[in-house]
Amino acid sequence: MKVLIRHQKREVEVAGRRRVREVLLELGVNPESVLVIRGAQLLTHDAQVSDDDTIELRPVVSGGAA
Amino acid sequence: MRCQRCRGDASVEVRRHHTAFCNEHFIEFFDRQVERAIEGERMFTRDDRVLVAVSGGKDSLALWDVLRRLGYTATGLYINLGIGDYSQESYRKTVAYADAQGAELLVADIPQDYGMSVEEFARATRRVSCSACGLSKRYLFNRVAVDRGFTVVATGHNLDDEAAVLFGNLLHWQTEYLARQAPVLPSTHPRLARKVKPLYRIAEREAAAYAIIRGIDYIVDECPNSVGAKSLLYKEALNLLEQAAPGTKQSLYWGFLERGRPLVAAQDTAVLRDCIHCGQPTTAEVCAFCRMTERAAERMRVRRAAASVPPQDAPATDPLQPAVPAPPAGE
């Protein structure tokens, strides 16, 4: 599957059907720091994604001035 | 994973509450948390005119959106900080939202009104960018609110923001700052608007989920000046803890409000008076914003004189321009 890692402005390929949490683990991304989106739909960490899918990892952490 | 309410497919997991929701029931959950914050902390009522600090990011647009949906009178205030492409893009997103929703938006423009951007303020006064930016925003939000007759200023600070600030203040035992950290900061001066944080019960991940589900087109890219900011480091550390122990951030911040803050609240002994230059409330003779802008303007004059560059026209004094026609204050 194609994984768009928005905050790192890069795209990676991850092979094989698996759960979202496994994809995040493989990419070293803390699940607390992103939302995972397929199409326009948010995915929970137990959702299955497959080779044909394109998913986006959308960062949720913002910071700077209080 | 199933929605706790309807047993349909869940789209958002809320691990700190051991639950998950579909889109529709997540929005219900979000609304309920915001209402509990507003009512529980007596932030404002539907009779108040609320000025919402809007940056074009997920939190502030989500806040503006939820307040309007829940029937509150919420006007947006966007401040152009002059941070290159980032400011332009965030302005576009804010105006697009306001136009699409028919929401009233006010705009203050720092480069236009003060002759330089917040980055130039920071460089000229040897502050870090986030410090000059935060000071400018706090000053202008309050000034515009008071000048335009708003009873309260609402910001999009969420649970993660508050937990990270608390974490930083605890690491350095900043007891004065601890005393002033709360979801509601009351008005303690005739020219000081009440400040409220209606998203303090909402995790950052949930604010982003709300924005996405509601179809809000917010600016995803981070401010280029926030790279390396301490607040991001604290958030990363807290997210590592949260991943291992869901509820850590909530327990830290809500626990502080319930048990920690009463111990330090008496340390907030600041007495406010009028800035002799602008009249805004301050603890000193001249407020921090006037000191910063005056020092920056002086350094700019010295630099220009050294380079023999003719000075620009004096900046305008009205820090506010309506982007969408706004009614007079008090309407």
Side-chain angles (χ1 to χ4, degrees), chain B residues 43-88:
Chain B
M43 292 182 175
F44 46 83
T45 69
R46 286 176 176 78
D47 294 328
D48 282 297
R49 292 178 69 226
V50 183
L51 185 66
V52 182
V54 188
S55 67
K58 66 185 190 309
D59 303 302
S60 59
L61 287 180
L63 172 62
W64 198 11
D65 187 76
V66 70
L67 292 184
R68 295 184 74 256
R69 279 185 43 253
L70 293 174
Y72 293 99
T73 307
T75 297
L77 171 61
Y78 175 85
I79 297 176
N80 176 23
L81 303 160
I83 307 175
D85 293 345
Y86 176 78
S87 283
Q88 286 179 23

Side-chain angles (χ1 to χ4, degrees), chain B residues 148-162:
Chain B
R148 308 277 294 191
F150 289 92
T151 39
V152 60
V153 174
T155 58
H157 292 100
N158 57 47
L159 173 61
D160 294 46
D161 295 325
E162 295 302 298

Side-chain angles (χ1 to χ4, degrees), chain B residues 157-228:
Chain B
H157 292 100
N158 57 47
L159 173 61
D160 294 46
D161 295 325
E162 295 302 298
V165 169
L166 175 59
F167 189 49
N169 287 339
L170 287 172
L171 287 177
H172 302 287
W173 287 111
Q174 304 268 25
T175 50
E176 262 184 58
Y177 293 153
L178 286 172
R180 272 181 242 148
Q181 194 179 354
V184 177
L185 294 173
S187 169
T188 54
H189 182 280
R191 292 191 62 76
L192 185 67
R194 184 158 26 117
K195 311 270 188 339
V196 299
K197 300 169 182 174
L199 301 188
Y200 86 92
R201 300 177 64 89
I202 301 285
E204 190 151 42
R205 209 167 166 276
E206 295 154 19
Y210 175 91
I212 290 167
I213 291 170
R214 288 278 303 144
I216 297 171
D217 183 20
Y218 63 90
I219 185 162
V220 176
D221 291 335
E222 266 300 288
C223 172
N225 294 329
S226 71
V227 175

Side-chain angles (χ1 to χ4, degrees), chain B residues 19-32:
Chain B
T19 192
F21 299 105
C22 66
N23 285 359
E24 179 190 342
H25 291 116
F26 175 75
I27 298 295
E28 265 185 28
F29 160 81
F30 191 96
D31 290 353
R32 204 164 50 245

Side-chain angles (χ1 to χ4, degrees), chain B residues 1-326:
Chain B
M1 206 171 289
R2 296 282 165 196
C3 171
Q4 183 207 47
R5 288 297 190 82
C6 67
R7 311 310 299 164
D9 285 342
S11 55
V12 187
E13 187 179 3
V14 184
R15 290 176 74 219
R16 66 197 169 96
H17 290 317
H18 310 288
T19 192
F21 299 105
C22 66
N23 285 359
E24 179 190 342
H25 291 116
F26 175 75
I27 298 295
E28 265 185 28
F29 160 81
F30 191 96
D31 290 353
R32 204 164 50 245
Q33 293 298 319
V34 173
E35 285 279 34
R36 280 185 71 178
I38 293 169
E39 289 171 10
E41 296 292 328
R42 297 182 181 166
M43 292 182 175
F44 46 83
T45 69
R46 286 176 176 78
D47 294 328
D48 282 297
R49 292 178 69 226
V50 183
L51 185 66
V52 182
V54 188
S55 67
K58 66 185 190 309
D59 303 302
S60 59
L61 287 180
L63 172 62
W64 198 11
D65 187 76
V66 70
L67 292 184
R68 295 184 74 256
R69 279 185 43 253
L70 293 174
Y72 293 99
T73 307
T75 297
L77 171 61
Y78 175 85
I79 297 176
N80 176 23
L81 303 160
I83 307 175
D85 293 345
Y86 176 78
S87 283
Q88 286 179 23
E89 184 64 5
S90 59
Y91 176 67
R92 270 197 296 274
K93 302 275 188 196
T94 303
V95 170
Y97 175 84
D99 285 349
Q101 298 291 324
E104 184 186 46
L105 174 67
L106 305 176
V107 177
D109 191 316
I110 289 181
Q112 182 177 302
D113 298 331
Y114 295 92
M116 61 186 91
S117 69
V118 292
E119 291 167 311
E120 289 167 314
F121 283 158
R123 271 197 297 276
T125 56
R126 298 197 177 111
R127 283 172 174 265
V128 295
S129 277
C130 291
S131 162
C133 182
L135 172 58
S136 303
K137 288 194 288 192
R138 287 191 297 275
Y139 177 87
L140 283 170
F141 286 137
N142 183 68
R143 182 167 168 185
V144 171
V146 171
D147 287 351
R148 308 277 294 191
F150 289 92
T151 39
V152 60
V153 174
T155 58
H157 292 100
N158 57 47
L159 173 61
D160 294 46
D161 295 325
E162 295 302 298
V165 169
L166 175 59
F167 189 49
N169 287 339
L170 287 172
L171 287 177
H172 302 287
W173 287 111
Q174 304 268 25
T175 50
E176 262 184 58
Y177 293 153
L178 286 172
R180 272 181 242 148
Q181 194 179 354
V184 177
L185 294 173
S187 169
T188 54
H189 182 280
R191 292 191 62 76
L192 185 67
R194 184 158 26 117
K195 311 270 188 339
V196 299
K197 300 169 182 174
L199 301 188
Y200 86 92
R201 300 177 64 89
I202 301 285
E204 190 151 42
R205 209 167 166 276
E206 295 154 19
Y210 175 91
I212 290 167
I213 291 170
R214 288 278 303 144
I216 297 171
D217 183 20
Y218 63 90
I219 185 162
V220 176
D221 291 335
E222 266 300 288
C223 172
N225 294 329
S226 71
V227 175
K230 283 272 174 58
S231 60
L232 293 176
L233 180 64
Y234 297 151
K235 282 186 175 181
E236 193 179 346
L238 288 171
N239 273 342
L240 281 174
L241 295 170
E242 186 77 20
Q243 176 58 18
T248 297
K249 289 179 282 197
Q250 175 179 308
S251 163
L252 174 67
Y253 185 56
W254 295 9
F256 164 73
L257 293 178
E258 195 183 316
R259 296 191 293 278
R261 193 163 182 276
L263 303 176
V264 293
Q267 305 221 9
D268 184 11
T269 55
V271 177
L272 297 177
R273 52 180 167 160
D274 299 347
C275 169
I276 60 169
H277 291 179
C278 70
Q280 290 294 294
T282 175
T283 53
E285 193 174 359
V286 178
C287 75
F289 183 75
C290 283
R291 289 202 304 272
M292 176 177 75
T293 52
E294 287 161 11
R295 202 173 304 153
E298 178 57 29
R299 285 185 193 233
M300 192 73 90
R301 269 195 293 276
V302 170
R303 267 215 309 270
R304 285 212 172 101
S308 298
V309 175
Q312 288 181 337
D313 292 341
T317 51
D318 181 0
L320 186 65
Q321 282 194 322
V324 175

